[in-house]
Amino acid sequence: MFAFQNPHPNLIAALESGGYRVTAPRRAIANLLEQKQEGFSVEALSDELPSVGRATVYRTIKLFHAAGVVCKLATINGSHMYSLCRNDHHHHHTVCVECGAVEEFRVDAVERLIRQISEDIPGEIVSHHLELYVNCGACPETKGK
Amino acid sequence: MFAFQNPHPNLIAALESGGYRVTAPRRAIANLLEQKQEGFSVEALSDELPSVGRATVYRTIKLFHAAGVVCKLATINGSHMYSLCRNDHHHHHTVCVECGAVEEFRVDAVERLIRQISEDIPGEIVSHHLELYVNCGACPETKGK
DNA sequence: TTAGATGCAAACGGTTTGCAAACCA
DNA sequence: TGGTTTGCAAACCGTTTGCATCTAA
């Protein structure tokens, strides 16, 4: 049911196959991303990479997002964050409200449900957002309570 | 299945019962809100009320949101907007991507589904977001196509 | 060699804050 | 009257842009 972290979401490959140059800053960003289990804001990412200009980090994440290798998700407070995309197919996310860990899940029942709702409302559903906020039960923050 | 617009979400009453003062600017904002069928950004609202300071509009909407009489919802592009809350119970929204019209709906199947997913994932679901983006089929923008 | 990528700094849009003046209860 | 609320302007935060310089291909 779940797609837990596939070990090699290849960001560099995504650049190459998109016809983009593989530069030192992009490599540094990709390396950092590949070891992240949690969701992150571009700002925080940029702080972790002082040698790369802020604008470049924003531009690169936007690139990865367009290529479909990172996904954008909403936080509980309405701002948004990104996470590595480990799953080719349409999927949804759980976000731990304590530690920020992001998991992907794909439940066909969600799509079925949306199709069903679609029959009951006027107009046509063109897209949807679904995010689940959890206490993952595995992070130090949760265990400490 | 739907909770279509209840005619009298009383914003002023919400202020009173919260122990807040009923002032002229707040009354003006409430009046404007009560005739809105669509979602709105605070900025746009403020532009429609040039006699009220921008900061006051932000503060007042935050107040109404805290009181549960307006709800915050995500747009398709990641920014967020508000809409009058016509339904006391937990509900979800459809947002027309053409005209911005917001409808509330409450489908028990959604909650049932979430409970079911809950059994399959580690940890505990503490909250969720679900938004459906539609072509409402009734707005001039849609009809024009 | 050269189109594409970078870093900087300035501009941006939406939102919040500090503060003195105005106002409701 | 006194504590709230207001408006203004300045500050703020995350993000984007213009531009001259650098670099991967």
Side-chain angles (χ1 to χ4, degrees):
Chain A
M1 183 158 202
F2 282 74
F4 283 112
Q5 28 280 37
N6 176 324
H8 301 105
N10 202 332
L11 300 169
I12 297 300
L15 287 178
E16 286 170 340
S17 72
Y20 297 103
R21 293 191 180 169
V22 179
T23 65
R26 286 176 177 172
R27 231 186 278 272
I29 294 166
N31 281 344
L32 184 54
L33 284 191
E34 270 165 12
Q35 58 202 44
K36 279 213 174 300
Q37 306 305 314
E38 330 81 48
F40 52 86
S41 66
V42 184
E43 256 233 307
L45 206 60
S46 178
D47 289 344
E48 293 184 63
L49 287 166
S51 64
V52 179
R54 192 148 284 231
T56 299
V57 181
Y58 276 100
R59 287 187 275 231
T60 303
I61 295 300
K62 194 185 281 187
L63 210 60
F64 285 145
H65 180 238
V69 289
V70 309
C71 35
K72 194 186 214 169
L73 45 99
T75 67
I76 205 162
N77 61 56
S79 65
H80 52 284
M81 71 198 315
Y82 292 86
S83 97
L84 251 198
C85 194
R86 303 185 186 87
N87 191 324
D88 283 346
H89 306 87
H90 177 72
H91 58 266
H92 300 280
H93 300 96
T94 60
V95 185
C96 176
V97 295
E98 295 293 342
C99 71
V102 174
E103 299 288 349
E104 301 181 356
F105 69 94
R106 170 171 166 71
V107 183
D108 295 332
V110 175
E111 314 306 319
R112 218 178 310 125
L113 172 72
I114 285 168
R115 230 172 299 125
Q116 171 200 320
I117 292 172
S118 179
E119 288 166 19
D120 292 325
I121 64 175
E124 179 203 358
I125 295 178
V126 297
S127 112
H128 63 270
H129 270 177
L130 171 65
E131 239 100 58
L132 300 182
Y133 302 100
V134 304
N135 259 307
C136 74
C139 58
E141 289 85 351
T142 300
K143 283 183 169 156
K145 304 208 166 167
Chain B
M1 183 157 203
F2 281 73
F4 283 111
Q5 28 281 35
N6 176 324
H8 300 105
N10 202 330
L11 300 169
I12 297 300
L15 286 178
E16 286 170 340
S17 71
Y20 297 102
R21 293 189 180 169
V22 179
T23 64
R26 287 176 177 171
R27 231 187 279 271
I29 294 166
N31 281 344
L32 184 53
L33 285 191
E34 271 164 11
Q35 57 203 45
K36 279 213 173 299
Q37 307 303 315
E38 331 82 46
F40 51 86
S41 67
V42 185
E43 256 233 306
L45 206 61
S46 179
D47 289 345
E48 293 184 62
L49 286 166
S51 65
V52 178
R54 191 148 285 229
T56 299
V57 180
Y58 277 99
R59 287 186 276 230
T60 303
I61 295 300
K62 193 186 280 187
L63 210 60
F64 285 145
H65 180 238
V69 288
V70 309
C71 35
K72 193 186 214 170
L73 45 99
T75 67
I76 205 162
N77 61 56
S79 67
H80 52 282
M81 71 198 316
Y82 292 86
S83 97
L84 251 198
C85 194
R86 302 186 186 88
N87 190 325
D88 282 345
H89 306 88
H90 178 73
H91 58 267
H92 300 279
H93 300 96
T94 61
V95 185
C96 177
V97 296
E98 295 293 341
C99 71
V102 174
E103 299 288 350
E104 302 180 357
F105 69 92
R106 171 171 166 70
V107 183
D108 295 332
V110 176
E111 314 306 319
R112 219 179 308 124
L113 172 72
I114 285 167
R115 230 173 298 123
Q116 170 201 320
I117 294 172
S118 179
E119 288 166 19
D120 291 325
I121 65 175
E124 180 203 357
I125 296 178
V126 297
S127 113
H128 62 270
H129 269 179
L130 171 65
E131 238 101 59
L132 300 182
Y133 301 101
V134 304
N135 258 308
C136 75
C139 58
E141 290 85 351
T142 299
K143 283 182 170 156
K145 304 210 165 165

CSV table of all heavy atoms in Angstrom, one decimal, chain A residues 21-24 42-43 54-55 58-59 62 80, chain D residues 13-20 22-25:
chain,number,residue,atom,x,y,z
A,21,ARG,N,22.0,21.8,-17.6
A,21,ARG,CA,23.4,21.6,-17.2
A,21,ARG,C,23.5,21.1,-15.8
A,21,ARG,O,22.8,21.5,-14.9
A,21,ARG,CB,24.1,22.9,-17.4
A,21,ARG,CG,24.2,23.3,-18.8
A,21,ARG,CD,25.2,24.4,-19.0
A,21,ARG,NE,25.2,24.8,-20.4
A,21,ARG,CZ,25.8,25.9,-20.9
A,21,ARG,NH1,26.4,26.7,-20.1
A,21,ARG,NH2,25.8,26.2,-22.2
A,22,VAL,N,24.5,20.3,-15.7
A,22,VAL,CA,24.8,19.8,-14.3
A,22,VAL,C,26.0,20.6,-13.8
A,22,VAL,O,27.1,20.4,-14.2
A,22,VAL,CB,25.2,18.3,-14.4
A,22,VAL,CG1,25.6,17.8,-13.0
A,22,VAL,CG2,24.1,17.5,-15.0
A,23,THR,N,25.6,21.5,-12.9
A,23,THR,CA,26.6,22.4,-12.4
A,23,THR,C,26.9,22.1,-10.9
A,23,THR,O,26.2,21.3,-10.3
A,23,THR,CB,26.1,23.9,-12.5
A,23,THR,OG1,25.0,24.0,-11.6
A,23,THR,CG2,25.7,24.2,-13.9
A,24,ALA,N,28.0,22.7,-10.4
A,24,ALA,CA,28.4,22.5,-9.0
A,24,ALA,C,27.3,22.8,-8.0
A,24,ALA,O,26.9,22.0,-7.2
A,24,ALA,CB,29.7,23.2,-8.7
A,42,VAL,N,12.4,25.9,1.1
A,42,VAL,CA,13.6,26.3,0.3
A,42,VAL,C,14.5,27.2,1.1
A,42,VAL,O,15.7,27.1,1.0
A,42,VAL,CB,13.1,27.1,-1.0
A,42,VAL,CG1,14.3,27.4,-1.8
A,42,VAL,CG2,12.1,26.3,-1.7
A,43,GLU,N,13.9,28.0,2.0
A,43,GLU,CA,14.7,28.9,2.8
A,43,GLU,C,15.7,28.1,3.7
A,43,GLU,O,16.9,28.4,3.8
A,43,GLU,CB,13.8,29.7,3.7
A,43,GLU,CG,13.6,31.1,3.3
A,43,GLU,CD,13.9,32.0,4.5
A,43,GLU,OE1,13.3,31.8,5.5
A,43,GLU,OE2,14.7,32.9,4.3
A,54,ARG,N,21.0,32.2,-2.7
A,54,ARG,CA,19.6,31.9,-2.4
A,54,ARG,C,18.8,31.8,-3.7
A,54,ARG,O,18.0,30.9,-3.8
A,54,ARG,CB,19.1,33.1,-1.6
A,54,ARG,CG,17.8,32.9,-0.9
A,54,ARG,CD,17.8,33.6,0.4
A,54,ARG,NE,18.5,32.9,1.4
A,54,ARG,CZ,18.1,32.6,2.6
A,54,ARG,NH1,16.9,33.0,3.0
A,54,ARG,NH2,18.8,31.9,3.4
A,55,ALA,N,19.0,32.7,-4.6
A,55,ALA,CA,18.2,32.6,-5.8
A,55,ALA,C,18.4,31.3,-6.6
A,55,ALA,O,17.5,30.8,-7.2
A,55,ALA,CB,18.6,33.8,-6.7
A,58,TYR,N,16.3,28.6,-5.0
A,58,TYR,CA,14.9,28.7,-5.4
A,58,TYR,C,14.8,28.3,-6.9
A,58,TYR,O,13.8,27.5,-7.2
A,58,TYR,CB,14.5,30.2,-5.3
A,58,TYR,CG,14.0,30.5,-3.9
A,58,TYR,CD1,14.8,31.2,-3.0
A,58,TYR,CD2,12.7,30.1,-3.5
A,58,TYR,CE1,14.4,31.5,-1.7
A,58,TYR,CE2,12.3,30.4,-2.2
A,58,TYR,CZ,13.2,31.1,-1.3
A,58,TYR,OH,12.7,31.4,-0.1
A,59,ARG,N,15.7,28.7,-7.8
A,59,ARG,CA,15.5,28.3,-9.2
A,59,ARG,C,15.7,26.8,-9.4
A,59,ARG,O,14.9,26.2,-10.1
A,59,ARG,CB,16.6,29.1,-10.0
A,59,ARG,CG,16.2,30.6,-10.2
A,59,ARG,CD,17.2,31.3,-11.1
A,59,ARG,NE,18.4,31.8,-10.5
A,59,ARG,CZ,18.8,33.0,-10.5
A,59,ARG,NH1,18.2,34.0,-11.2
A,59,ARG,NH2,19.9,33.4,-9.9
A,62,LYS,N,12.6,24.9,-8.1
A,62,LYS,CA,11.5,25.0,-9.0
A,62,LYS,C,11.7,24.1,-10.2
A,62,LYS,O,10.8,23.5,-10.7
A,62,LYS,CB,11.5,26.5,-9.5
A,62,LYS,CG,10.2,26.9,-10.2
A,62,LYS,CD,10.2,28.3,-10.8
A,62,LYS,CE,10.0,29.3,-9.7
A,62,LYS,NZ,9.8,30.7,-10.3
A,80,HIS,N,3.9,26.5,2.7
A,80,HIS,CA,4.1,25.2,2.0
A,80,HIS,C,5.6,24.8,2.0
A,80,HIS,O,6.5,25.6,2.2
A,80,HIS,CB,3.5,25.2,0.6
A,80,HIS,CG,3.9,26.3,-0.2
A,80,HIS,ND1,3.4,27.5,-0.1
A,80,HIS,CD2,4.8,26.4,-1.2
A,80,HIS,CE1,3.9,28.4,-1.0
A,80,HIS,NE2,4.8,27.7,-1.7
D,13,DC,P,11.8,38.7,9.7
D,13,DC,OP1,12.1,38.2,11.0
D,13,DC,OP2,12.9,39.2,8.8
D,13,DC,O5',11.0,37.5,8.9
D,13,DC,C5',9.6,37.4,8.9
D,13,DC,C4',9.2,36.8,7.6
D,13,DC,O4',9.0,37.8,6.6
D,13,DC,C3',10.3,35.9,7.0
D,13,DC,O3',9.8,34.6,6.8
D,13,DC,C2',10.7,36.6,5.7
D,13,DC,C1',9.5,37.4,5.3
D,13,DC,N1,9.7,38.6,4.5
D,13,DC,C2,8.7,39.0,3.6
D,13,DC,O2,7.8,38.2,3.4
D,13,DC,N3,8.9,40.1,2.9
D,13,DC,C4,10.0,40.9,3.1
D,13,DC,N4,10.1,42.0,2.4
D,13,DC,C5,10.9,40.6,4.1
D,13,DC,C6,10.8,39.4,4.8
D,14,DG,P,10.8,33.4,6.4
D,14,DG,OP1,10.4,32.2,7.3
D,14,DG,OP2,12.2,33.9,6.4
D,14,DG,O5',10.4,33.0,4.9
D,14,DG,C5',9.0,32.8,4.6
D,14,DG,C4',8.7,33.0,3.2
D,14,DG,O4',8.9,34.4,2.8
D,14,DG,C3',9.6,32.2,2.2
D,14,DG,O3',8.8,31.6,1.3
D,14,DG,C2',10.6,33.2,1.6
D,14,DG,C1',9.7,34.5,1.6
D,14,DG,N9,10.5,35.7,1.6
D,14,DG,C8,11.5,36.0,2.4
D,14,DG,N7,12.0,37.2,2.2
D,14,DG,C5,11.2,37.8,1.2
D,14,DG,C6,11.2,39.0,0.6
D,14,DG,O6,11.9,40.0,0.8
D,14,DG,N1,10.2,39.1,-0.4
D,14,DG,C2,9.3,38.1,-0.7
D,14,DG,N2,8.4,38.4,-1.6
D,14,DG,N3,9.2,36.9,-0.1
D,14,DG,C4,10.2,36.8,0.9
D,15,DT,P,9.3,30.6,0.1
D,15,DT,OP1,8.3,29.7,-0.2
D,15,DT,OP2,10.6,30.1,0.6
D,15,DT,O5',9.5,31.6,-1.1
D,15,DT,C5',8.3,32.3,-1.6
D,15,DT,C4',8.7,33.3,-2.7
D,15,DT,O4',9.5,34.3,-2.1
D,15,DT,C3',9.6,32.6,-3.8
D,15,DT,O3',8.8,32.6,-4.9
D,15,DT,C2',10.8,33.6,-3.9
D,15,DT,C1',10.4,34.8,-3.1
D,15,DT,N1,11.4,35.6,-2.5
D,15,DT,C2,11.6,36.9,-3.0
D,15,DT,O2,10.9,37.4,-3.8
D,15,DT,N3,12.6,37.6,-2.4
D,15,DT,C4,13.5,37.1,-1.4
D,15,DT,O4,14.4,37.8,-0.9
D,15,DT,C5,13.3,35.8,-1.0
D,15,DT,C7,14.1,35.1,0.1
D,15,DT,C6,12.3,35.1,-1.5
D,16,DT,P,9.3,32.2,-6.4
D,16,DT,OP1,8.2,31.7,-7.1
D,16,DT,OP2,10.6,31.4,-6.1
D,16,DT,O5',9.7,33.6,-7.0
D,16,DT,C5',8.8,34.6,-7.1
D,16,DT,C4',9.3,35.8,-7.8
D,16,DT,O4',10.4,36.4,-7.0
D,16,DT,C3',10.0,35.5,-9.1
D,16,DT,O3',9.5,36.4,-10.1
D,16,DT,C2',11.5,35.7,-8.9
D,16,DT,C1',11.5,36.7,-7.8
D,16,DT,N1,12.6,36.7,-6.8
D,16,DT,C2,13.3,37.9,-6.6
D,16,DT,O2,13.0,38.9,-7.1
D,16,DT,N3,14.3,37.8,-5.7
D,16,DT,C4,14.7,36.6,-5.0
D,16,DT,O4,15.6,36.7,-4.2
D,16,DT,C5,14.0,35.4,-5.3
D,16,DT,C7,14.3,34.2,-4.6
D,16,DT,C6,13.0,35.5,-6.2
D,17,DT,P,9.9,36.3,-11.6
D,17,DT,OP1,8.7,36.7,-12.4
D,17,DT,OP2,10.7,35.1,-11.9
D,17,DT,O5',10.9,37.5,-11.7
D,17,DT,C5',10.6,38.8,-11.1
D,17,DT,C4',11.7,39.8,-11.4
D,17,DT,O4',12.8,39.7,-10.4
D,17,DT,C3',12.4,39.6,-12.8
D,17,DT,O3',12.5,40.8,-13.4
D,17,DT,C2',13.8,39.0,-12.4
D,17,DT,C1',14.0,39.6,-11.0
D,17,DT,N1,14.8,38.7,-10.1
D,17,DT,C2,15.7,39.3,-9.3
D,17,DT,O2,15.9,40.5,-9.3
D,17,DT,N3,16.4,38.5,-8.4
D,17,DT,C4,16.3,37.1,-8.3
D,17,DT,O4,16.9,36.5,-7.5
D,17,DT,C5,15.3,36.5,-9.2
D,17,DT,C7,15.0,35.1,-9.2
D,17,DT,C6,14.6,37.4,-10.1
D,18,DG,P,13.0,41.0,-14.9
D,18,DG,OP1,12.1,41.8,-15.6
D,18,DG,OP2,13.4,39.7,-15.5
D,18,DG,O5',14.4,41.8,-14.7
D,18,DG,C5',14.4,42.9,-13.7
D,18,DG,C4',15.8,43.6,-13.8
D,18,DG,O4',16.7,43.0,-12.9
D,18,DG,C3',16.4,43.6,-15.2
D,18,DG,O3',17.2,44.7,-15.3
D,18,DG,C2',17.3,42.3,-15.1
D,18,DG,C1',17.7,42.3,-13.6
D,18,DG,N9,17.8,41.0,-13.0
D,18,DG,C8,17.0,39.9,-13.3
D,18,DG,N7,17.4,38.8,-12.6
D,18,DG,C5,18.4,39.3,-11.7
D,18,DG,C6,19.1,38.6,-10.7
D,18,DG,O6,19.0,37.5,-10.3
D,18,DG,N1,20.0,39.4,-10.1
D,18,DG,C2,20.3,40.8,-10.5
D,18,DG,N2,21.2,41.4,-9.8
D,18,DG,N3,19.6,41.4,-11.4
D,18,DG,C4,18.7,40.6,-12.0
D,19,DC,P,18.0,45.0,-16.7
D,19,DC,OP1,18.1,46.5,-16.8
D,19,DC,OP2,17.6,44.1,-17.8
D,19,DC,O5',19.5,44.5,-16.2
D,19,DC,C5',20.1,45.1,-15.0
D,19,DC,C4',21.4,44.4,-14.8
D,19,DC,O4',21.2,43.1,-14.1
D,19,DC,C3',22.2,44.1,-16.1
D,19,DC,O3',23.6,44.5,-15.9
D,19,DC,C2',22.1,42.6,-16.2
D,19,DC,C1',22.1,42.2,-14.7
D,19,DC,N1,21.5,40.8,-14.5
D,19,DC,C2,22.0,40.1,-13.5
D,19,DC,O2,22.9,40.6,-12.7
D,19,DC,N3,21.5,38.8,-13.2
D,19,DC,C4,20.6,38.4,-14.0
D,19,DC,N4,20.1,37.1,-13.8
D,19,DC,C5,20.1,39.1,-15.1
D,19,DC,C6,20.5,40.4,-15.3
D,20,DA,P,24.4,44.9,-17.2
D,20,DA,OP1,24.2,46.4,-17.4
D,20,DA,OP2,24.2,44.0,-18.4
D,20,DA,O5',25.9,44.7,-16.7
D,20,DA,C5',26.2,45.0,-15.3
D,20,DA,C4',27.1,43.9,-14.8
D,20,DA,O4',26.3,42.7,-14.6
D,20,DA,C3',28.3,43.4,-15.8
D,20,DA,O3',29.5,43.3,-15.0
D,20,DA,C2',27.8,42.1,-16.4
D,20,DA,C1',27.0,41.6,-15.2
D,20,DA,N9,25.9,40.6,-15.6
D,20,DA,C8,25.1,40.7,-16.7
D,20,DA,N7,24.2,39.7,-16.8
D,20,DA,C5,24.6,38.9,-15.7
D,20,DA,C6,24.0,37.6,-15.3
D,20,DA,N6,23.0,37.0,-15.9
D,20,DA,N1,24.6,37.1,-14.2
D,20,DA,C2,25.6,37.7,-13.6
D,20,DA,N3,26.2,38.9,-13.9
D,20,DA,C4,25.6,39.4,-15.0
D,22,DC,P,33.9,37.0,-13.6
D,22,DC,OP1,34.8,37.0,-12.4
D,22,DC,OP2,34.4,37.4,-14.9
D,22,DC,O5',33.2,35.6,-13.7
D,22,DC,C5',32.6,35.0,-12.5
D,22,DC,C4',32.0,33.7,-12.9
D,22,DC,O4',31.0,33.9,-14.0
D,22,DC,C3',32.9,32.6,-13.5
D,22,DC,O3',32.6,31.4,-12.8
D,22,DC,C2',32.6,32.6,-15.0
D,22,DC,C1',31.1,32.9,-15.0
D,22,DC,N1,30.5,33.4,-16.2
D,22,DC,C2,29.4,32.8,-16.8
D,22,DC,O2,29.0,31.8,-16.2
D,22,DC,N3,28.9,33.3,-17.9
D,22,DC,C4,29.4,34.4,-18.5
D,22,DC,N4,28.8,34.8,-19.6
D,22,DC,C5,30.5,35.1,-17.9
D,22,DC,C6,31.0,34.6,-16.8
D,23,DT,P,33.7,30.2,-12.8
D,23,DT,OP1,33.7,29.8,-11.4
D,23,DT,OP2,34.9,30.6,-13.6
D,23,DT,O5',32.9,29.1,-13.6
D,23,DT,C5',31.5,28.9,-13.4
D,23,DT,C4',31.0,27.9,-14.5
D,23,DT,O4',30.5,28.7,-15.6
D,23,DT,C3',32.0,27.0,-15.0
D,23,DT,O3',31.3,25.8,-15.3
D,23,DT,C2',32.4,27.6,-16.3
D,23,DT,C1',31.1,28.1,-16.8
D,23,DT,N1,31.1,29.2,-17.8
D,23,DT,C2,30.0,29.2,-18.7
D,23,DT,O2,29.1,28.4,-18.7
D,23,DT,N3,30.1,30.2,-19.6
D,23,DT,C4,31.1,31.2,-19.7
D,23,DT,O4,31.0,32.1,-20.6
D,23,DT,C5,32.1,31.1,-18.7
D,23,DT,C7,33.3,32.1,-18.8
D,23,DT,C6,32.1,30.1,-17.9
D,24,DA,P,31.8,24.3,-14.7
D,24,DA,OP1,31.5,24.3,-13.3
D,24,DA,OP2,33.2,24.1,-15.2
D,24,DA,O5',30.8,23.3,-15.5
D,24,DA,C5',29.4,23.5,-15.3
D,24,DA,C4',28.7,23.1,-16.6
D,24,DA,O4',29.0,24.1,-17.6
D,24,DA,C3',29.1,21.8,-17.2
D,24,DA,O3',27.9,21.2,-17.6
D,24,DA,C2',30.0,22.1,-18.3
D,24,DA,C1',29.6,23.5,-18.7
D,24,DA,N9,30.6,24.5,-19.1
D,24,DA,C8,31.9,24.6,-18.6
D,24,DA,N7,32.5,25.6,-19.1
D,24,DA,C5,31.7,26.2,-20.1
D,24,DA,C6,31.8,27.3,-21.0
D,24,DA,N6,32.9,28.0,-21.1
D,24,DA,N1,30.7,27.5,-21.8
D,24,DA,C2,29.6,26.8,-21.6
D,24,DA,N3,29.4,25.7,-20.8
D,24,DA,C4,30.5,25.5,-20.1
D,25,DA,P,27.9,19.8,-18.3
D,25,DA,OP1,26.5,19.2,-18.1
D,25,DA,OP2,29.1,19.1,-17.9
D,25,DA,O5',28.0,20.2,-19.8
D,25,DA,C5',26.8,20.7,-20.5
D,25,DA,C4',27.2,20.9,-22.0
D,25,DA,O4',28.2,22.0,-22.0
D,25,DA,C3',27.7,19.7,-22.7
D,25,DA,O3',27.0,19.6,-23.9
D,25,DA,C2',29.2,20.1,-22.9
D,25,DA,C1',29.2,21.6,-23.0
D,25,DA,N9,30.4,22.2,-22.6
D,25,DA,C8,31.4,21.8,-21.7
D,25,DA,N7,32.4,22.6,-21.6
D,25,DA,C5,32.1,23.6,-22.5
D,25,DA,C6,32.8,24.8,-22.9
D,25,DA,N6,34.0,25.1,-22.3
D,25,DA,N1,32.2,25.6,-23.8
D,25,DA,C2,31.0,25.2,-24.3
D,25,DA,N3,30.3,24.2,-24.0
D,25,DA,C4,30.9,23.4,-23.1
